[in-house]
Amino acid sequence: MKDNKISPEAKIVRIACVMMGISVIFVCLGVAKAEAVSSKIALFCAAGLLFFLGALFALAAGYSVYARNHKHNFFLYDKKMRKDIPVSELTFEIIRKKVVDYMSLFKRGKKLYVGELFSDNSPLNNEAMKPLFCYELLYQLAETKDAFAIKMFLGYGDECSRIFSKYLYENGDYELSSKIVYFFTQSKTSPSAEKDFADYVSSHKAHIEKQVVEYTKNNIDRFVI
């Protein structure tokens, strides 16, 4: 069955055409029929206003179609240049800034709700972002080596271990995935687990940077907005 549904933009263009057509009629009436100067001026003014409004409607419809069809990539879009940069120019610094900005949407005040980052019920949920959340959280711990933050992280337990190992493993980062499980398990019994974890992630910063760039480039089409 043929779909005869007319888009909102098409309806606006029709209205614009009608308005511009009426403006032409007013001009013709002003030239051919109106005898008084005041009548001619009124018709010409009305014609000009209708034509102007019709043109605005047509432009608005055109922009709406353009905006809907011209999508950008979350990681490639450069706000200053107002266009997507080539994938080859994507760096860890660019990716990280955008990931951190995205993660800030899950903050309430200064507190980041880690559980909501990985929730399937979140309105901000994007499955493709989840491995990057894992890498960013690990990178932050590697940078700061904050003992309290590491204790809190390992204290999240089996659920957190499962989430991190899952997304890292799916990215092919098997060693880091298994190490995460190991440190979560060790944290339950070993007093040195937190320090060992801090030393491990801080020594793997370069590895995390490499994985973030490779993952983002390999999945770049999943980040179109």
Side-chain angles (χ1 to χ4, degrees), residues 26 62 91 96 116 136 165 192:
F26 279 6
T91 65
R96 189 185 185 200
E116 292 186 9
E136 174 55 28
S165 62
S192 65

Side-chain angles (χ1 to χ4, degrees), residues 36-90:
V37 174
S38 60
S39 297
K40 288 181 181 289
I41 292 174
L43 285 168
F44 290 154
C45 287
L49 180 61
L50 280 171
F51 190 89
F52 175 73
L53 291 174
L56 282 181
F57 274 47
L59 285 172
Y63 181 78
S64 177
V65 172
Y66 171 83
R68 186 174 66 248
N69 296 328
H70 196 76
K71 296 181 178 180
H72 292 289
N73 190 285
F74 178 74
F75 287 108
L76 299 179
Y77 185 67
D78 187 307
K79 290 183 179 180
K80 292 182 179 178
M81 298 172 62
R82 295 185 178 180
K83 65 177 183 180
D84 287 355
I85 63 172
V87 178
S88 59
E89 294 181 13
L90 205 55

Side-chain angles (χ1 to χ4, degrees), residues 135 138 161 164-183 200 204 207 211 214:
Y135 283 121
L138 291 174
S161 171
F164 272 69
S165 62
K166 172 181 182 289
Y167 288 111
L168 296 176
Y169 187 89
E170 288 178 356
N171 186 42
D173 201 344
Y174 306 126
E175 180 188 338
L176 189 55
S177 173
S178 64
K179 281 291 185 180
I180 289 295
V181 175
Y182 169 79
F183 284 118
Y200 178 82
H204 281 70
H207 170 80
Q211 289 295 318
E214 287 185 357

Side-chain angles (χ1 to χ4, degrees), residues 24 121 139 188:
V24 172
N121 298 321
Y139 198 81
K188 297 175 183 177

Side-chain angles (χ1 to χ4, degrees), residues 109-133:
K110 293 184 178 181
K111 186 175 181 180
L112 175 67
Y113 283 75
V114 177
E116 292 186 9
L117 284 175
F118 300 99
S119 170
D120 293 332
N121 298 321
S122 170
L124 299 169
N125 177 56
N126 183 340
E127 192 70 16
M129 292 293 290
K130 291 179 180 179
L132 295 174
F133 294 157

